[in-house]
Amino acid sequence: MARAVPARRKMLTTILGWGVGLTIFFPILWTFLTGFKTEAEAIASPPSFLLFDWTLSAYDAVNQRTDYLKHFWNSVVISFGSTGLGLLIAVPAAWAMAFVPAKRTKDILMWMLSTKMLPPVGVLIPIYLIFRDAGLLDTRLGLVIVLTLINLPIIVWMLFTYFREIPVDILEAARMDGAELRSEILFVLVPMAVPGIASTLLLNVILAWNEAFWTLNLTAAKAAPLTAFIASFSSPEGLFYAKLSAASTMAIAPILIVGWFSQKQLVRGLTFGAVK
Amino acid sequence: MGDYATPSRGLFRSAAIGLVAASAFGSLAAAEELTIATVNNSDMIVMQKLSPQWEAATGHTLNWVVLEENVLRQRVTTDIATNGGQFDIITIGAYEAPIWGAAGWLKQLDDLGEGYDYDDIYESVRNGLSANGNLYAVPFYAESSFTFYRKDLFEAAGIEMPDQITYAQLAEYAKKLHDPDNGVYGTCQRGKAGWGENMAFVGPMVNTFGGRWFDMDWNPQLDTQPWKDAVNYYVDLMNSYGPPGASSNGHNENRALFADGKCATWVDATSAAGFIYNPNESTVADKTDFTAAPINVTDKGAGWFWAWALAIPNSSGKEAAAKSFLEWSTSKDYVKLVGETEGWVAAPPGTRMSTYANEMYVSAAPFAQTVEASILAANPADATLEPVPYTGVQFVAIPEFQGIGTYVGNQISAALAGTISVDEALANSQSFAVREMTKAGYIK
């Protein structure tokens, strides 16, 4: 039977929870509101919260100057493409590490994670040169490859954690029934790990969507995603906060909506693991 | 009777088809797709808007990559240094043009045709974009700095602005006009750290206080008396008569404060005059006047020099088309086109004498002559009281300056915020500069 929580404590926890939630959400809300102000209102001091003349002029200016849909489509292809490719590589890798570990599996996992500790700018020039010679600069394929490689350690780690929760006996039973390796992974392991795979997919799509170092540095005009779209509205001279906020809102809205609808899946996957 | 089978007609027809096909193919082959990387400012937005006219006239097309200034610098540097060839035209500043030109990263631009009229571009602007006597970038706007002041407040306080204001007078006037209870601060100056932010104000101020960044042997001079005097003056001025939180105010913040009627004086870019003078964007359009930048012990280097310019990286394979765009977008005719379509006050300032000889521009922009005088007075080749081995007014045209200028900017911003003393800031700056210059091989 669940333990009764005193009302006072419950209230305090609720207030604390809302406080933390609103603090985290506030910058997004502020960006959203600023997008509907005029440039002068956006920097007015003291700032107005809701009582200002709401206007779509910033959105108008943004739409006149740039092709949002082109950047949006690039973001979709790059983030889903890199996550999909990453999963294709990571599912077999995580299977091997979780169910047939070798002597050095743990070291390999740590080594994979250590690649995330290197500042990306440290390898910018070598990667730029490779991309130049391979003709991958300013291509979506190039970004799919580089983001796959960058997020692969996280995908493998997450899947490895979920797979380890799955009793190896179930896989052995499948093998006893004559399942080959491919069938074992595709028809036994993957369906059981769906919540884990889904949360990995979502998290990596979000990471790839928001990635702003490689997507800015390896693109020019053709493959630039929404990060470049946002960067084009910051200005060294003149007021730009309303336009920048409008552009940011347009860039984050799709991923925010996807996150909102899939939050149950995301939270379940992140907190409970695959099978418990 | 028509007989299409006769040999002469058939021959004629084949020849005609061939000619059309050849010319169509020829024009297809000549039509290039150019990628242009640029900053986001009002002049470039206008250029982007008008560029379809050039595309229609030439058959070439442009892909615009607009980026934030620092992102653009990093992006373009990576591409040029690795010969990536992603960009055919790039926007660079007066700091990069001579350095990148000397490094062989840019194509020479001395051959844009007779109609281009190079002599119409101010000599100081041409010099600022050249290296070893060769022009490596063509300007689409140039600026110096000067003093914006509120003539209504000056009149009310009985102050008459002299022909040439000094820094002592600036402090005196700021003191008289400082009225924070009524939302007016005596002076607004840049405090946000950065070689292009607070150092753009502090650098020229140090010049006119008699200071310099380096002596003739490239020894940093940041702990010398002129630097101490200038930075102490600056910190005292801002703490006494500046707006609160001045250490986080850059060009944009001060521009908004001044336009909102919150500042009595402001020393900043001449290019902001059009904005302050525009009644749609500024509440003080009819209350503002302009005069030269303040001076102290010398008038050398008192106003800065900056230009945004277009250049062609050596890695571009579309030189002819790129040059055609540069010729169009920085020409006299382009200035006229902007004047006629966007209003004369929006014409690109500071680059061409013909702009300032144009009565329509001068009557639309009453600040034009003060701006022209400031640009003519700014001389990057002779900006300090004592001799120096470098060029540049508010910057030193060497690759190492970016790092040193940023560090010193951070230290001075910290001194302004009160987290360290001025002496500490300058001592730290000096040791950093010595270390960097030794590492780079300037100091043996």
Side-chain angles (χ1 to χ4, degrees), chain A residues 32-166:
Chain A
F32 175 76
L33 292 175
T34 308
F36 292 99
K37 294 179 178 178
T38 59
E39 290 295 356
E41 198 118 40
I43 54 150
S45 173
S48 41
F49 185 60
L50 290 170
L51 300 174
F52 57 85
D53 290 334
W54 290 62
T55 170
L56 285 170
S57 60
Y59 283 90
D60 264 355
V62 168
N63 281 322
Q64 267 175 28
R65 267 193 48 206
T66 40
D67 185 354
Y68 171 77
L69 283 178
K70 185 186 90 180
H71 295 292
F72 170 76
W73 182 242
N74 283 340
S75 275
V76 170
V77 171
I78 291 162
S79 50
F80 282 92
S82 65
T83 307
L85 186 62
L87 281 174
L88 275 180
I89 302 168
V91 168
W95 173 87
M97 287 171 174
F99 301 115
V100 269
K103 204 172 137 195
R104 298 266 174 224
T105 295
K106 219 172 173 184
D107 298 337
I108 290 172
L109 275 165
M110 285 312 292
W111 168 77
M112 282 173 66
L113 202 63
S114 73
T115 58
K116 294 293 290 176
M117 295 168 195
L118 180 77
V121 73
V123 288
L124 173 61
I125 297 294
I127 288 191
Y128 203 91
L129 289 171
I130 293 168
F131 268 51
R132 181 197 67 184
D133 295 343
L136 288 172
L137 284 173
D138 201 20
T139 62
R140 291 192 292 238
L141 176 66
L143 283 181
V144 166
I145 293 170
V146 84
L147 291 188
T148 300
L149 294 174
I150 281 161
N151 287 335
L152 202 53
I154 295 176
I155 303 180
V156 171
W157 261 91
M158 283 180 78
L159 290 180
F160 170 75
T161 318
Y162 298 130
F163 287 179
R164 270 211 320 195
E165 303 280 338
I166 294 171

Side-chain angles (χ1 to χ4, degrees), chain A residues 158-159 162 192-201 265 268-270 273-274:
Chain A
M158 283 180 78
L159 290 180
Y162 298 130
M192 278 195 296
V194 159
I197 292 174
S199 59
T200 308
L201 183 133
Q265 192 79 284
R268 191 173 150 223
L270 286 173

